[in-house]
Amino acid sequence: MKPFALARVLQLAERRSETLARAVKLAHGVWLRARGRQVQLFALRDAHITQLADELRGGVAAAQLQETNRLRHAQAAEIHAAQAAIDDAYRDWQAGLAEWLQAGQHVKALRLLEQRHLAQAAIQQRRVEQRDHDELVALMHRRDRGGR
């Protein structure tokens, strides 16, 4: 019986699937870290707002207020960049996930073909064994007839 013709293709597909799985896990980690950075930025912004509210009660010089405004705008830009990083990381993660799922379907299809091949090989092997058995029985019957 011939070996499974697509064995090498199956092996390569499994390796690719494993590689894609690692890439998906990495992309998910990048997305989680980007979300964590955004949470940190929001906490920092909230702390600055609280601090500014306390300072404004006591009165603030115009120069200090301008500096605070500049910092607030910088924080807003950083938060916006963090959101863009989250969006990019999410897109990368989802694209990798879709590719990994597709590779998984390819591996499943190849494994199904392998199972069918093995089942066909088993059927052929049973037929060969049955034929050998039948020939042996026929030979024994001929010997028995020849000896009498």
Side-chain angles (χ1 to χ4, degrees):
M1 179 67 202
K2 294 187 291 185
F4 181 52
L6 297 175
R8 183 71 177 143
V9 174
L10 174 58
Q11 185 182 31
L12 291 173
E14 287 171 338
R15 284 184 186 169
R16 182 172 184 268
S17 180
E18 291 166 4
T19 301
L20 289 173
R22 285 190 293 275
V24 166
K25 288 177 185 176
L26 179 66
H28 184 252
V30 169
W31 176 68
L32 288 175
R33 284 188 295 281
R35 288 184 57 183
R37 174 69 179 142
Q38 185 184 43
V39 168
Q40 289 174 340
L41 290 173
F42 281 143
L44 186 62
R45 181 197 63 187
D46 293 345
H48 282 134
I49 288 172
T50 303
Q51 180 185 3
L52 180 61
D54 290 342
E55 289 175 359
L56 286 176
R57 283 192 196 105
V60 179
Q64 187 179 356
L65 191 57
Q66 270 185 327
E67 180 61 19
T68 302
N69 255 352
R70 187 190 66 72
L71 287 174
R72 193 182 59 76
H73 285 295
Q75 277 182 334
E78 225 178 325
I79 288 172
H80 180 72
Q83 183 61 50
I86 289 172
D87 295 342
D88 290 344
Y90 185 79
R91 268 192 305 280
D92 290 346
W93 173 38
Q94 292 301 305
L97 187 61
E99 188 177 3
W100 174 63
L101 290 173
Q102 186 177 12
Q105 291 298 318
H106 187 231
V107 168
K108 274 185 184 178
L110 287 169
R111 283 185 181 150
L112 179 62
L113 288 174
E114 181 183 39
Q115 288 174 353
R116 287 180 182 170
H117 171 79
L118 293 174
Q120 184 65 32
I123 290 170
Q124 286 180 351
Q125 182 63 33
R126 281 193 302 272
R127 286 180 183 162
V128 166
E129 289 171 359
Q130 184 65 45
R131 194 174 320 124
D132 289 347
H133 181 268
D134 291 346
E135 288 174 5
L136 181 60
V137 168
L139 182 62
M140 289 174 58
H141 282 293
R142 273 185 259 148
R143 281 186 191 161
D144 285 346
R145 281 189 213 144
R148 290 182 193 167

